[in-house]
């Protein structure tokens, strides 16, 4: 039974996997664990989409609820995922939503979250470098540009990069 001080908190993460391969998932899990310890009801909403990148694969017991949202290569898009997420959140009736990792889709999902207060967390520099290498190997230096200020430069980098 939830106390009057207890809140329903929805965590949304578009890349969560457990065990983790990155620090953002450890951070999200630790936040969720502490919220549960404080008496809140916490549910993680994550796309269940294993193609290309293993989203939503959880291989051990966690202290909080997990609600996978089924997706495939045709339905993992802002429109379909946004509607499916909205329906899942309406069913959970959260007091607030914590939006974790999600790269470029994160910002596009915000209109679907309007009914709830949202905490938006940036774990990586996904909005600065969509190439996710931050290093100009041909020039032997760290990139001093970013997608927000010069998207054409980033497009040139993406399509001409050498690995």
């Amino acid at each position: 039974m939830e106390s009057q001080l207890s809140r329903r908190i929805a965590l949304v993460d578009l890349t969560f996997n457990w065990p983790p391969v990155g620090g953002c998932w450890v951070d999200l899990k630790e936040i969720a664990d502490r919220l549960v310890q404080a008496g809140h009801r916490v549910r993680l909403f994550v796309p269940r989409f294993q193609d290309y990148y293993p989203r939503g694969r959880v291989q051990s017991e966690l202290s909080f609820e997990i609600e996978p949202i089924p997706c495939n290569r045709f339905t993992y898009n802002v429109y379909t995922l946004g509607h499916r997420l909205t329906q899942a959140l309406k069913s959970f009736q959260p007091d607030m939503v914590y939006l974790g990792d999600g790269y470029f889709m994160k910002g596009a999902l915000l209109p679907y979250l309007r009914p709830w207060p949202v905490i938006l967390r940036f774990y990586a520099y996904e909005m600065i470098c969509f190439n996710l290498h931050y290093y100009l190997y041909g020039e032997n230096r760290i990139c001093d540009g970013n997608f927000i200020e010069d998207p054409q430069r980033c497009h040139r980098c993406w399509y001409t990069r050498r690995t």
Side-chain angles (χ1 to χ4, degrees):
M1 179 155 210
E2 297 177 40
S3 74
Q4 288 187 0
L5 298 177
S6 177
R7 300 286 183 250
R8 290 173 169 260
I9 301 172
L11 304 177
V12 176
D13 193 286
L14 305 184
T15 64
F16 188 86
N17 289 292
W18 201 264
V21 295
C24 64
W25 301 320
V26 174
D27 183 63
L28 188 70
K29 179 209 172 280
E30 293 299 318
I31 289 169
D33 285 344
R34 284 164 178 75
L35 290 169
V36 168
Q37 290 169 6
H40 301 290
R41 182 169 177 200
V42 177
R43 184 177 296 173
L44 171 64
F45 296 84
V46 62
R48 180 82 170 140
F49 178 37
Q50 301 299 303
D51 293 347
Y52 315 116
Y53 186 85
R55 294 169 177 87
R57 183 174 58 201
V58 177
Q59 298 176 328
S60 61
E61 195 71 28
L62 298 172
S63 70
F64 48 92
E65 302 169 42
I66 299 174
E67 184 167 335
I69 299 172
C71 292
N72 61 42
R73 64 187 178 139
F74 302 107
T75 61
Y76 187 74
N77 60 64
V78 171
Y79 178 79
T80 305
L81 182 59
H83 286 285
R84 288 179 180 179
L85 179 60
T86 299
Q87 290 307 310
L89 290 170
K90 283 180 181 176
S91 177
F92 180 59
Q93 299 178 345
D95 294 303
M96 57 130 341
V97 175
Y98 181 102
L99 183 54
D101 205 3
Y103 294 107
F104 285 100
M105 198 180 293
K106 182 171 24 183
L109 283 178
L110 286 174
Y112 294 94
L113 304 178
R114 284 192 180 147
W116 303 280
V118 175
I119 293 176
L120 182 60
R121 176 73 186 262
F122 290 94
Y123 286 101
Y125 295 100
E126 65 264 25
M127 299 304 285
I128 295 186
C129 179
F130 63 74
N131 297 333
L132 298 178
H133 58 80
Y134 318 112
Y135 194 76
L136 301 172
Y137 295 99
E139 299 174 29
N140 198 30
R141 68 179 178 86
I142 295 172
C143 180
D144 59 349
N146 70 69
F147 185 79
I148 296 168
E149 292 178 353
D150 192 352
Q152 292 81 16
R153 178 181 176 190
C154 295
H155 282 119
R156 287 190 304 273
C157 178
W158 176 257
Y159 290 109
T160 61
R161 70 184 175 154
R162 305 279 191 256
T163 55

